[in-house]
Amino acid sequence: MSDSSPLPPVRLRSEAELARDALATPLLSRAVRLARWAGPDTRVGAGGELVEEQLPAAAAELSLDGDDAAAYASEAWRVAVDTGLVAVVDEEEGTVAAGADLTLVLSGAPQDVLGLWLGALETVLADASVPDLDDLVDAMDEGGEIDFSTLDWDPEAEAEFLDGVLGNLYLLTASEDGPGDGPVPLPALAASMIVPDDMGEPTNDVLEQVSDAMMRLDDQFRLLEPVGLVDFQPVDEALMAEAGEEPAASAASSDEAVDDTDVSRYGMVRLTPLGVYGIRARLLEAGFAAPAVGDLADKGADVLLDSTSAFPPLAAQAETEQWLARREPLAAARELLAAARGADTGAPLRRLRCQQELSLVGTEAAPALHEVLDDGELGGLARVWLAERGVPDVPPPSEEMVFWLTVDTIAAQLAAEGNSEELQALVEGLAAQHGSFFAAAWRVEHPATPDVLEAMGRLHPDKKVAKEARKAAFKARSQQGQ
């Protein structure tokens, strides 16, 4: 992803809803419980970690049992310390006290709670980029120290890989042609990081890299689920058994036939609403343009028209609806029309967006459209709007206005979609309906007339018509002194 091009806007839940979700996540809720549990007899090591002999009591406080109980308790304690829920009072004595931020859990604003959760997320993301325990044990020397040189591990590269995966998952969630709230297969997510865009059939080496990345992501998403970032269905352990890895007892004893065509066996993941909020916050901090629906509600119409020009259709409509909800229809229409004026290169697309956004306004806005009927730039779209609503006595447009609106519309579609099939169909239709179209079009006093005629010549499949369009474009450039 490039940090210079905006991502599609996402729909966020309210901060109050997100804060409730954050407090309900297993990891942060455990961290809060341990922060309240800690007392004068609680002791920590040099790094703030809970001493080993107190881990069973911490696990019992969290109602955890089993082989991983101590590890879960240790992780929750580390989050409590990292987020300020617990403060180390004396490093030498290893004493602790309730942190200043513990009060935010009950009395803080939703934004304060989300700040705690983002701190917890950073702790878990750092852990997810660390080699697994077996690899660390294998790299331990006789003195108990880890020899990192024996590990094939680049901390920066690992963190960048995970950031890239989460960025791609965010992009898939935000894209209107993506899965939306649905899950993404783990192999597809791994492939998005490994397989080059211009590669046709992946090589065996690339497929092996994808498989390795998929298994690494399986481990990482298992760590990220308890913090509420993702909903995750892990890789079916029967697959690991088929690949020669040690199967879990449940998979080994299963008599059920496994369907090789079931993609969900290979792991499925989706960002939760809280996860969308968290990844967006990290993207913004990293300098990406990551809009959210509703960001423009308090902005002017000029910002709305310019920004939504780059939005997918559904997101643009949702943003406009929120913008309109804060304004009276008549005032909103006047503001949109005023912002749509202009002779700059972006003006045609602004007018197209204005026309689309005015379609969401009721007939209360009709006076604003009547006011611009004689306006050379807005009179055409005003007539279209009034006619669509059955407003009587709308004066017909002059031929000059019809041609100007046609050029403006094609210029807008070129800016929005480029040489699309829809635009080609429009060009063919215009040339077929108006035999003398090009003879009149080159005279249209619109800044985009030469470019529009040139595009029509490029798009029209009939060589004779295309030649007429190019000749008209040349005349238009000469008339405008280009």
Side-chain angles (χ1 to χ4, degrees):
M1 292 186 304
S2 168
D3 57 5
S4 60
S5 56
L7 294 161
V10 292
R11 297 171 188 253
L12 297 178
R13 289 185 178 177
S14 70
E15 287 191 344
E17 290 177 291
L18 291 170
R20 286 194 294 270
D21 290 347
L23 290 175
T25 59
L27 187 54
L28 187 57
S29 62
R30 289 172 186 167
V32 170
R33 288 172 64 184
L34 288 186
R36 291 170 174 158
W37 164 81
D41 296 329
T42 306
R43 292 293 180 269
V44 297
E49 73 282 2
L50 199 60
V51 294
E52 188 171 348
E53 54 267 27
Q54 291 192 340
L55 285 174
E61 175 65 22
L62 299 175
S63 303
L64 296 172
D65 54 26
D67 295 340
D68 295 327
Y72 289 145
S74 177
E75 182 185 33
W77 178 264
R78 188 167 63 257
V79 167
V81 172
D82 288 352
T83 57
L85 297 174
V86 170
V88 177
V89 176
D90 188 320
E91 292 185 4
E92 291 187 4
E93 295 292 329
T95 55
V96 298
D101 288 344
L102 184 58
T103 59
L104 298 177
V105 174
L106 291 178
S107 59
Q111 196 168 16
D112 297 324
V113 173
L114 290 171
L116 293 175
W117 180 80
L118 287 171
L121 176 61
E122 291 303 320
T123 296
V124 179
L125 286 171
D127 287 348
S129 298
V130 173
D132 64 33
L133 184 60
D134 290 340
D135 289 341
L136 292 176
V137 170
D138 292 342
M140 195 173 291
D141 60 24
E142 295 179 358
E145 298 291 328
I146 296 175
D147 182 5
F148 286 100
S149 65
T150 65
L151 292 171
D152 184 17
W153 177 54
D154 180 340
E156 186 174 335
E158 286 293 332
E160 287 181 0
F161 177 82
L162 184 54
D163 282 345
V165 167
L166 293 174
N168 284 352
L169 186 56
Y170 178 92
L171 183 59
L172 288 169
T173 303
S175 299
E176 290 185 0
D177 56 353
D181 294 334
V184 176
L186 211 56
L189 201 54
S192 72
M193 295 295 295
I194 304 295
V195 181
D197 291 338
D198 57 354
M199 176 174 281
E201 188 72 21
T203 63
N204 288 337
D205 180 59
V206 168
L207 290 175
E208 185 175 347
Q209 292 179 50
V210 170
S211 180
D212 290 343
M214 185 181 78
M215 299 313 299
R216 189 160 83 232
L217 289 174
D218 181 67
D219 291 335
Q220 291 172 324
F221 284 131
R222 289 173 192 259
L223 289 175
L224 293 170
E225 188 172 32
V227 79
L229 186 76
V230 295
D231 286 330
F232 181 53
Q233 177 181 326
V235 175
D236 186 345
E237 292 187 352
L239 285 174
M240 302 179 194
E242 292 164 10
E245 297 190 21
E246 182 179 350
S250 59
S253 62
S254 175
D255 293 327
E256 296 179 7
V258 186
D259 182 5
D260 287 332
T261 64
D262 183 3
V263 71
S264 66
R265 294 182 64 213
Y266 297 85
M268 303 288 285
V269 64
R270 74 174 186 92
L271 287 178
T272 64
L274 187 61
V276 172
Y277 168 85
I279 299 303
R280 177 176 180 263
R282 299 185 84 243
L283 288 168
L284 289 172
E285 187 175 345
F288 286 84
V293 172
D295 282 352
L296 308 178
D298 59 350
K299 307 296 183 186
D302 55 339
V303 177
L304 178 72
L305 294 179
D306 282 336
S307 299
T308 55
S309 294
F311 284 11
L314 294 179
Q317 179 173 331
E319 187 68 57
T320 302
E321 287 171 347
Q322 293 204 24
W323 188 88
L324 291 171
R326 295 195 179 191
R327 293 160 178 80
E328 292 296 325
L330 180 56
R334 284 173 174 151
E335 189 177 348
L336 286 168
L337 289 165
R341 287 191 174 93
D344 57 283
T345 55
L349 188 52
R350 282 202 308 277
R351 282 186 283 273
L352 179 61
R353 287 296 312 139
C354 176
Q355 186 171 358
Q356 293 167 339
E357 291 170 8
L358 284 172
S359 69
L360 303 176
V361 182
T363 53
E364 309 97 309
L369 281 299
H370 277 290
E371 291 165 4
V372 298
L373 283 174
D374 294 330
D375 187 293
E377 295 178 352
L378 305 176
L381 70 85
R383 282 169 170 79
V384 171
W385 189 95
L386 292 167
E388 286 176 345
R389 281 154 184 77
V391 176
D393 302 324
V394 177
S398 65
E399 184 179 79
E400 181 183 0
M401 182 174 286
V402 169
F403 275 92
W404 194 96
L405 182 60
T406 301
V407 169
D408 200 58
T409 300
I410 296 176
Q413 293 191 345
L414 279 169
E417 305 170 6
N419 300 331
S420 65
E421 291 182 5
E422 292 79 3
L423 185 55
Q424 182 173 342
L426 174 61
V427 167
E428 291 181 37
L430 280 171
Q433 293 171 18
H434 305 280
S436 59
F437 177 83
F438 297 112
W442 70 267
R443 304 177 191 274
V444 175
E445 294 183 2
H446 189 296
T449 297
D451 292 335
V452 164
L453 292 171
E454 192 171 278
M456 293 181 76
R458 186 171 62 249
L459 291 168
H460 204 289
D462 187 292
K463 291 183 179 180
K464 181 179 178 182
V465 176
K467 185 176 181 180
E468 285 183 45
R470 288 193 295 271
K471 284 183 177 180
F474 179 79
K475 291 180 178 179
R477 291 193 189 285
S478 299
Q479 177 177 261
Q480 294 186 9
Q482 295 183 16

